[in-house]
Amino acid sequence: MTDVSDAGRGQGGDARSVELAERLAAVRKRISAAAESAGRADRPPALIVVTKFHPADDIRRLAALGIRDVGENRDQEAAAKALELADLALTWHFVGQLQTKKAKSVARYAATVHSVDRPQLVDALAKAVRHEMDSSGRGPLGCFIQVNLEDDGDAHRGGAAPADVALLAERIAGSEGLDLMGVMAVAPLGAPPEPAFEKLSGVSARLTETYPAATAISAGMSQDLEAAIGFGATHLRIGSDILGSRPAVG
Ligand SMILES: *Cc1c(COP(=O)(O)O)cnc(C)c1O
């Protein structure tokens, strides 16, 4: 793959860096335009660049372009990249479905997990994070409760039912080592995103009645970032519009 050999030079200014800079600028422009039309130009959302399937050298290029927040959805890949890029001041966000047995690994590198969707995962993360706090001095883990917005309750993209958010929030808030950030969702496939993001904003409003600090809303991907910003997203998770289509995995 040409990407990888180019990257070997490790310098900004290669063709791939130029491409990433252009794509990033275009996405940033969309974000400011959407924030402006939502009347929140003064409170733009944070941008997390989802780098899954793309090589660590692309993350190095993005870091040179000022990106600090990166997202990954598979522990094995994320752990390897975090290790390889340990010299950079990056903040790692875990955004994919997470098995409890991976909690230990994720606690070593992730600042936040956006996909907390069941009590056993809360407990596994809390235990793993407390261990890391003692052994390596890491800080608390930011937790977003992933909400399933499918009308039929189909859990294929993960997430807790809206009715289960309150109990999960209580469990996170009561766990030493975990910080309750707010909610996260992926818009349903094949349907307009607006109704889903509106629903998420309602779930968020109810959550903040009990937990006033848990104001974060992680929503908005390449295809639907404008809609997400319109409904109050505070954290965008953008992959393909910045990095290009994901290389096929073999
Ligand atoms: C891959 C992924 C993204 C980024 O999606 P794009 O459509 O590539 O912008 C965001 N959130 C999650 C949970 C993902 O898995």
Side-chain angles (χ1 to χ4, degrees):
M1 289 203 320
T2 52
D3 276 358
V4 174
S5 52
D6 282 356
R9 283 177 233 143
Q11 293 295 322
D14 59 88
R16 178 62 171 159
S17 289
V18 173
E19 183 191 354
L20 288 175
E22 286 171 1
R23 286 173 164 277
L24 181 62
V27 166
R28 287 206 191 281
K29 215 165 152 182
R30 282 170 63 196
I31 296 171
S32 346
E36 181 122 349
S37 38
R40 41 178 295 208
D42 55 331
R43 289 167 298 122
L47 171 61
I48 297 168
V49 182
V50 179
T51 47
K52 62 189 185 202
F53 301 137
H54 291 278
D57 288 300
D58 273 355
I59 304 179
R60 206 171 272 289
R61 293 182 174 97
L62 288 165
L65 295 168
I67 292 297
R68 290 291 168 265
D69 292 282
V70 293
E72 289 281 337
N73 74 337
R74 294 189 306 179
D75 170 61
Q76 213 183 350
E77 180 178 343
K81 286 174 176 172
L83 196 65
E84 183 173 346
L85 301 171
D87 58 308
L88 300 177
L90 294 168
T91 300
W92 295 87
H93 302 265
F94 193 86
V95 304
Q97 282 179 264
L98 184 56
Q99 296 171 280
T100 50
K101 65 177 181 195
K102 304 281 190 183
K104 258 184 163 163
S105 171
V106 166
R108 290 194 196 107
Y109 59 84
T112 74
V113 171
H114 289 232
S115 46
V116 180
D117 61 357
R118 57 198 194 280
Q120 303 91 305
L121 182 57
V122 174
D123 297 349
L125 285 170
K127 186 173 171 214
V129 167
R130 285 196 299 267
H131 176 80
E132 282 300 310
M133 286 171 117
D134 291 343
S135 62
S136 74
R138 69 154 294 151
L141 178 79
C143 292
F144 293 74
I145 298 174
Q146 183 173 356
V147 184
N148 182 358
L149 298 175
E150 312 272 344
D151 280 334
D152 59 4
D154 178 355
H156 74 279
R157 305 191 94 177
D164 295 335
V165 168
L167 267 178
L168 272 175
E170 192 182 336
R171 202 167 185 110
I172 295 168
S175 296
E176 196 195 324
L178 304 185
D179 270 350
L180 177 62
M181 304 288 294
V183 292
M184 176 276 208
V186 177
L189 281 172
E194 287 82 1
F197 290 147
E198 185 171 15
K199 196 165 155 186
L200 183 64
S201 135
V203 174
S204 168
R206 282 194 297 283
L207 178 69
T208 55
E209 283 171 16
T210 314
Y211 302 98
T215 53
I217 301 179
S218 169
M221 305 173 27
S222 294
Q223 295 301 312
D224 54 26
L225 71 89
E226 284 85 0
I229 292 172
F231 285 101
T234 60
H235 294 69
L236 305 172
R237 309 178 312 271
I238 312 291
S240 42
D241 277 4
I242 293 171
L243 286 136
S245 54
R246 292 182 263 280
V249 267

